[in-house]
Amino acid sequence: MRKFRKNRRTPSNFQKTNSKGTEQQPIFESLEDNIQFIKDKTGNSDDITIRNIKIGENFNTSIAVIYTEGLIDSPSVQNFILETLMLDSQKTPFNTTNNVNSNSFLTYLEESILTVGSIKYIENYDELFTSLLSGNVIIFVDGYNESLSVGMKGGKDRGVNENTNEPSIRGPKESFSESLRTNTSLVRRKINNPNLWIENKKIGKETKTDVSILFINGIANEKVVEEVRTRLNRIDIDGILDGGYIEELIQDETYTPFPTIFHTERPDVTAAALLEGRVAIMIDGSPHPLLVPGLFVQFFQTADDYYQRADSSTLLRMLRFLGFIIALLGPSLYIALTTFHQEMLPTPLLISLAAQREGVPFPAFIEALMMEVTFEILREAGLRMPRAVGQAVSIVGTLVIGTAAVEAGIVSAAMVIVVAITAISSFVVSSFNLAIAVRMLRFPFMGLAASFGLFGIIIGLIALILHLCSLRSFGVPYMAPFAPYIGADQKDALFRLPHWGLSTRPRLISQKNVKREDTPPPKPKERI
């Protein structure tokens, strides 16, 4: 039981230092001092509501209820805090004369009056403001240098809607929202297991953003979990507004175009990653949790791969790998063949290409560069314009500019076809972050092809593969299970076996509790 604290403090002293070196102001015993300190600290902001009430046998106990409008669940505050304190407390009044030396009035409120589950004690203003501005309700009692923080988070949010960035033909349609608790509950609905552990942190000196670490105890690699904790604790920044802030601060390699952290907006994808042994990082205000380790092959996998038959999923996944190669090397191969290696083309095709390029004043590299830059500008314009006209502008602009450029003799028709196929192939890559990396690398490969032909492309590919093999994602090789080669994990890499064949988890991600199922393969039935 908590004791009544008699040492009165004044607003002018009694400051202490927390673990990060910042000063903490203890809570005053005087209710008026506490209210005035909060008003001064918040600039008397209009959204900070302070409600003074009196309770007790003779209404001689002063209480202040303080909360932030818009961040709390208003009906719950009215029904479970204000009404309870003002009405229900009168039915069982607290006898201050007999109990002041044994039971704290705050303990009496917690154990006998308040009908709320989440209650904790606060002793300093550093914790108090964090709690108050996170959507909790603060209860002060005159004469006590502690306060109660009551969990009443609410307010308006977007809710659970259909996912837009990762559409699925078959499977769940729900997506994450900007509410952290809503997102964790969506994962809880998928994984009904007490071993799904959630650890909360606050990051950002000014924003104090809530960040949650999710992992399944007994499946996730403990070294990866500890590494995630270490990197998050190392962050010292004034504010976190989205998961992209944290992604850049905790990723392994800074100077690489390839993403080493996977993010998604789908709860089912997050649940599947947790079941494989990965760790999820959820940020309050962001509908895209981060999944680590993020490996190269993971960016080619989609939710539909596991909701459809294995043979069709394998075909679609191979198409994505093919689209990745075309999007990366399409223009550069055309430049190398038409500039240096004409003998590799069939004679009729070579004559046709030569006829098309007869009036073009630019070499193939300049043609490809102009068309690629123009298409990237149109694509970015389509993304930034209002949704109602964005797609129309990008499609019409591409058609008009491409046709006009061919008719004006600036570029050849074959180059327009190559650029169009390359652009379509880049959309086949399921991950937007990986598609951006392909778009960035396409231009250096075009330069190598224009300078050295196929020899330059091969040198570029060797350098790219070496770079990919040197990457790590939270200590796990980025190119696993290809490099290092892990035969047992090839069942879900280039192709996917049926679910009865996916009996083990990825070896480098989950190093314990590797076995997933014991389901035997189906046996053919006798003819009836």
Side-chain angles (χ1 to χ4, degrees), residues 501-517:
L502 305 177
S503 58
T504 57
R505 296 183 175 87
R507 296 297 176 88
L508 293 182
I509 296 177
S510 178
Q511 297 180 353
K512 58 182 180 179
N513 193 5
V514 177
K515 202 164 188 178
R516 305 182 68 169
E517 62 176 343

Side-chain angles (χ1 to χ4, degrees), residues 22-132:
T22 59
E23 289 184 340
Q24 291 182 343
Q25 171 63 57
I27 291 175
F28 313 119
E29 291 184 5
S30 171
L31 182 61
E32 294 181 359
D33 291 342
N34 288 320
I35 293 176
Q36 188 60 44
F37 186 85
I38 291 176
K39 287 182 177 180
D40 294 340
K41 195 70 174 178
T42 59
N44 205 14
S45 300
D46 292 335
D47 61 338
I48 305 297
T49 301
I50 302 175
R51 182 75 164 85
N52 291 290
I53 60 178
K54 290 184 178 294
I55 64 174
E57 277 186 286
N58 300 315
F59 300 97
N60 55 359
T61 302
S62 298
I63 290 182
V65 178
I66 305 176
Y67 54 88
T68 306
E69 287 285 354
L71 298 182
I72 52 96
D73 185 1
S74 296
S76 297
V77 172
Q78 299 295 331
N79 296 330
F80 300 114
I81 295 184
L82 294 178
E83 182 177 344
T84 301
L85 290 175
M86 299 176 70
L87 299 180
D88 294 349
S89 63
Q90 309 306 322
K91 301 176 184 178
T92 56
F94 179 77
N95 192 338
T96 57
T97 303
N98 298 330
N99 299 326
V100 69
N101 294 324
S102 59
N103 296 331
S104 167
F105 190 75
L106 294 177
T107 305
Y108 166 69
L109 291 179
E110 176 192 12
E111 296 180 353
S112 304
I113 299 299
L114 296 175
T115 59
V116 183
S118 176
I119 300 177
K120 72 174 183 177
Y121 289 82
I122 293 180
E123 299 181 355
N124 61 75
Y125 273 101
D126 185 39
E127 296 179 10
L128 186 143
F129 282 116
T130 300
S131 182
L132 175 65

Side-chain angles (χ1 to χ4, degrees), residues 368-382:
L369 188 62
M370 288 191 303
M371 292 301 297
E372 287 290 344
V373 171
T374 302
F375 183 80
E376 293 296 333
I377 293 174
L378 287 172
R379 175 155 49 182
E380 188 66 17

